[in-house]
Amino acid sequence: MHFYITGDTHRSFDRIEDFCYGYETTTEDVMIILGDAGINYWLDLSDKELKGRLSGMDITFFCVHGNHEARPWEAADYEEKIWNEGIVYVEEQYPNILFAKDGEIYNFHGRKVMPIGGAYSIDKYYRIRNGLPWFESEQPDEAIKKYVEQKLDKVNWQLDIVLSHTVPIECEPVWAFIPGLDQSTVDKSTEKWLQYIYDNLEFTEWYAGHYHVECEESGVRIMFEEYDEIM
């Protein structure tokens, strides 16, 4: 079993399919998507068609929550099951498409791995004005934050790997921000909370997506279309 990792896909999986062919993966292998997989976005037949395509690919998807997708329980009839020692959300007809539960601690090759998804959408009002999906639940609410912190308490704030969508605020790639966007209008509450976690957590690796760039900022690796493997 291999645990591969990559950034946002936004419903476009051609490159993942090419990767699977090139590496001759099977459904025993896992592709971690660091948020915005976009599988539950339109909440209509097109989502089911996409899931049908992905269910035929030789990989198991493990999706961190992003800000361009619904939470699983908002999207379809998902059930919870235990997978690699943590809870995931899965639909019976698509067993290789798994959605992470924020704050769960998974065992990947003996390493403790926690997903902490969500972010604010800078295109929120554009999407609302134009009748595109926007999800009020895009950022972690107080219940999710409490759950994450309780789980961290149980492991004395020691993890091997964090998988987030956005980043601690001090790790933002400010050079990659959209020119002309007034950052004072952007809700940074998730980034500020992740900063609290970052400052108090003993960890080895931290991966994030969201920004559509490839870089490392203060020990956090931000990914887009490149791949890595958790060994």
Side-chain angles (χ1 to χ4, degrees):
M1 175 185 287
H2 298 272
F3 292 94
Y4 302 109
I5 187 167
T6 193
D8 307 17
T9 54
H10 291 277
R11 299 178 67 84
S12 179
F13 287 86
D14 288 352
R15 69 179 181 88
I16 307 293
E17 196 163 32
D18 291 342
F19 180 94
C20 293
Y21 283 134
Y23 282 79
E24 298 182 343
T25 61
T26 73
T27 51
E28 292 296 308
D29 300 313
V30 177
M31 179 63 73
I32 300 162
I33 300 178
L34 293 164
D36 284 354
I39 296 168
N40 290 313
Y41 181 70
W42 292 106
L43 308 186
D44 62 12
L45 182 60
S46 66
D47 283 358
K48 292 183 180 180
E49 290 173 346
L50 177 58
K51 292 173 188 178
R53 178 194 171 193
L54 300 182
S55 69
M57 291 174 59
D58 289 325
I59 197 81
T60 290
F61 293 95
F62 179 75
C63 305
V64 177
H65 183 69
N67 58 295
H68 283 82
E69 55 207 351
R71 299 276 177 178
W73 55 87
E74 299 173 310
D77 186 21
Y78 281 86
E79 61 182 13
E80 295 184 358
K81 77 170 189 177
I82 300 297
W83 176 83
N84 284 36
E85 300 181 13
I87 296 171
V88 293
Y89 301 99
V90 61
E91 290 177 275
E92 184 178 358
Q93 61 269 50
Y94 311 117
N96 69 321
I97 305 175
L98 311 177
F99 292 86
K101 180 174 181 178
D102 292 336
E104 286 294 287
I105 299 175
Y106 301 89
N107 181 345
F108 291 0
H109 294 320
R111 306 184 76 185
K112 296 193 295 291
V113 180
M114 177 183 282
I116 311 175
Y120 175 80
S121 294
I122 60 172
D123 62 349
K124 169 182 175 180
Y125 294 105
Y126 172 84
R127 285 154 64 187
I128 292 172
R129 284 195 307 270
N130 290 276
L132 299 171
W134 172 78
F135 306 100
E136 188 173 355
S137 60
E138 62 182 10
Q139 299 195 79
D141 60 17
E142 291 307 310
I144 291 174
K145 291 177 180 177
K146 182 178 179 180
Y147 187 80
V148 167
E149 292 178 25
Q150 287 176 337
K151 287 288 190 175
L152 290 174
D153 286 342
K154 290 181 179 179
V155 293
N156 297 315
W157 288 70
Q158 296 178 344
L159 291 173
D160 295 300
I161 300 171
V162 177
L163 307 172
S164 64
H165 185 51
T166 188
V167 298
I169 197 162
E170 291 180 10
C171 305
E172 289 183 318
V174 295
W175 53 271
F177 286 175
I178 297 174
L181 178 68
D182 181 1
Q183 289 294 317
S184 69
T185 67
V186 178
D187 181 348
K188 303 278 190 178
S189 57
T190 298
E191 287 78 10
K192 291 175 181 177
W193 174 62
L194 289 175
Q195 186 66 46
Y196 166 74
I197 292 174
Y198 176 91
D199 289 341
N200 290 278
L201 181 67
E202 183 179 325
F203 66 92
T204 305
E205 297 169 71
W206 188 313
Y207 295 91
H210 191 45
Y211 295 95
H212 294 195
V213 296
E214 309 281 354
C215 66
E216 185 164 325
E217 300 283 345
S218 301
V220 173
R221 181 174 176 185
I222 301 172
M223 300 185 71
F224 184 32
E225 294 185 336
E226 291 184 356
Y227 300 92
D228 202 350
E229 183 176 355
I230 293 175
M231 306 298 287

